[in-house]
Amino acid sequence: MIAAALLVLIVAALLFGSGWLSCTIARRLEAKFPPQGVFVTANGVRMHVLDLPPAHPSERPLPTVLLVHGANLCSEDMRLALGARLSRQLRVIIPDRPGQGYSAPGMGPLASPAYQVTLLREVLRERGVAGPLIVVGHSFGGLIALRYALDNPDTVQGLVVINPTTHPRPRGIRWIQRVFDVLMKPSINYTVLPPMFMAMMGRVATRIFRPEPPPPDYADRSRLGLALMAKRFSGSLQEYSGLRDQLIDHVPRYPAVQVPTVIIAGSADPVVPPQIHAEALARAMPRARMIRIPGAGHMAHHAHADLIAAEIERLAGCAGSGATLRAVERPVQAGSQQPA
């Protein structure tokens, strides 16, 4: 009896101590990485957004570029990879998606691309952007970009999706769902995970970039630590938890996307395998053009930024940089999808 009581006290003390440490880490990270953009209210939700004006404005009107980051990231990831380059000629809008960075989650389901699109559209309206748009999304942001084009076909001029998450795995991965259910518990997410993530930050960056190396100081420059703190990571877990159902719902709708679309696929992406996602998407979309980058991993928009930016600029109708295309552009044959 005494031993059981001591064990309970020890566990409670450990949880309290790790919870205090987690809160301390989060406060220090927010002080180290304050918001760099502006705040707007979108349908009652406080949203943070980077609004980059063109350094060399064109004499003719050009579309605005909307960059949508992936899960467990924030607007700084897209700014580092593509925002600075694209804003030489184009206006670039990079929001923190709901529940990420310094954007509030709001009351809607974070796993719903439709909900996220309603907020992103309102952010653009508040910033005086009515269209036309080039919408660019990475990973889960690719699904958001596709939904944006589906819901707003009159304002989207072109679409670029980079290693997009688009299709459910044929047989699913049930154990992953169970892991998400455990991690979403406050007793885990708000206590144990943040200190663990901070201790593993370098390994986390290496893992999401594999097989390519991350840029120097990526974790600090991208504010990766912020995304892995309890409040924001809870939003990511909600996205993951509902992702399979959302993908099943969206698969039949992809053929309705009629805007010119470029699908960028890293051939070595172990996070979102192109055989399951990008190639299946290319078969489903009649106007899509798929570009496979040999040896590229999930974070291809960093190591291959010039190539991707040139495609965005081409869709926008402005001169690209003439980047050397080491990618392989090829059609995707029906029936070539491989199971997970």
Side-chain angles (χ1 to χ4, degrees):
M1 206 58 187
I2 296 177
L6 284 174
L7 180 60
V8 169
L9 287 174
I10 291 171
V11 170
L14 288 174
L15 288 175
F16 176 82
S18 58
W20 175 84
L21 180 59
S22 297
C23 291
T24 301
I25 291 172
R27 286 195 298 268
R28 288 178 178 175
L29 284 173
E30 290 181 352
K32 182 179 180 180
F33 302 122
Q36 298 297 304
V38 296
F39 288 94
V40 300
T41 300
N43 295 344
V45 180
R46 191 171 189 249
M47 297 284 289
H48 177 250
V49 57
L50 303 178
D51 189 343
L52 310 180
H56 306 288
S58 173
E59 295 181 357
R60 59 189 176 87
L62 293 173
T64 298
V65 177
L66 172 64
L67 298 180
V68 186
H69 66 81
N72 287 333
L73 298 168
C74 70
S75 54
E76 280 299 309
D77 174 74
M78 278 296 204
R79 186 188 68 79
L80 286 172
L82 296 170
R85 154 68 188 268
L86 292 170
S87 64
R88 297 172 191 170
Q89 301 182 78
L90 299 161
R91 185 181 181 184
V92 180
I93 304 289
I94 320 176
D96 284 337
R97 289 195 296 100
Q100 302 299 322
Y102 283 96
S103 289
M107 299 301 293
L110 291 179
S112 167
Y115 169 68
Q116 298 211 17
V117 165
T118 60
L119 296 185
L120 297 183
R121 184 172 55 231
E122 188 66 16
V123 166
L124 292 172
R125 192 189 71 81
E126 290 290 333
R127 299 304 297 167
V129 178
L133 293 172
I134 305 297
V135 184
V136 181
H138 166 246
S139 193
F140 182 74
L143 179 62
I144 305 299
L146 287 160
R147 182 61 188 244
Y148 199 105
L150 284 166
D151 290 354
N152 306 276
D154 295 336
T155 60
V156 178
Q157 177 174 313
L159 188 63
V160 177
V161 289
I162 307 160
N163 289 328
T165 303
T166 58
H167 287 68
R169 291 178 182 263
R171 291 176 296 278
I173 304 179
R174 301 301 179 190
W175 67 267
I176 288 184
Q177 184 62 58
R178 289 195 289 269
V179 169
F180 292 156
D181 291 341
V182 171
L183 294 181
M184 288 178 70
K185 297 182 184 299
S187 59
I188 301 296
N189 185 37
Y190 281 82
T191 58
V192 177
L193 290 186
M196 182 181 73
F197 282 142
M198 289 305 297
M200 299 171 55
M201 192 62 61
R203 293 173 61 186
V204 170
T206 298
R207 186 167 181 80
I208 62 175
F209 272 85
R210 69 190 195 283
E212 299 176 295
D217 301 322
Y218 172 78
D220 270 359
R221 295 173 65 207
S222 69
R223 304 179 170 208
L224 180 60
L226 275 180
L228 298 176
M229 291 300 100
K231 179 172 64 176
R232 298 165 180 88
F233 192 63
S234 176
S236 295
L237 289 172
Q238 292 177 53
E239 293 177 348
Y240 296 147
S241 181
L243 180 58
R244 182 175 175 81
D245 289 341
Q246 291 295 330
L247 293 175
I248 291 171
D249 288 343
H250 278 78
V251 166
R253 301 194 61 188
Y254 297 144
V257 178
Q258 295 296 312
V259 302
T261 300
V262 177
I263 303 168
I264 306 291
S267 68
D269 181 358
V271 180
V272 182
Q275 299 89 347
I276 297 171
H277 299 272
E279 291 183 4
L281 179 66
R283 290 192 296 271
M285 294 179 58
R287 299 188 64 183
R289 186 165 62 93
M290 179 172 165
I291 297 177
R292 179 184 284 263
I293 306 178
H298 189 58
M299 304 293 281
H301 53 305
H302 287 269
H304 308 277
D306 284 348
L307 185 157
I308 296 170
E311 289 295 330
I312 297 168
E313 290 165 344
R314 182 185 61 80
L315 286 175
C318 59
S321 67
T324 301
L325 297 185
R326 294 183 296 275
V328 177
E329 182 178 345
R330 65 176 181 86
V332 178
Q333 300 299 321
S336 65
Q337 183 174 352
Q338 300 176 10

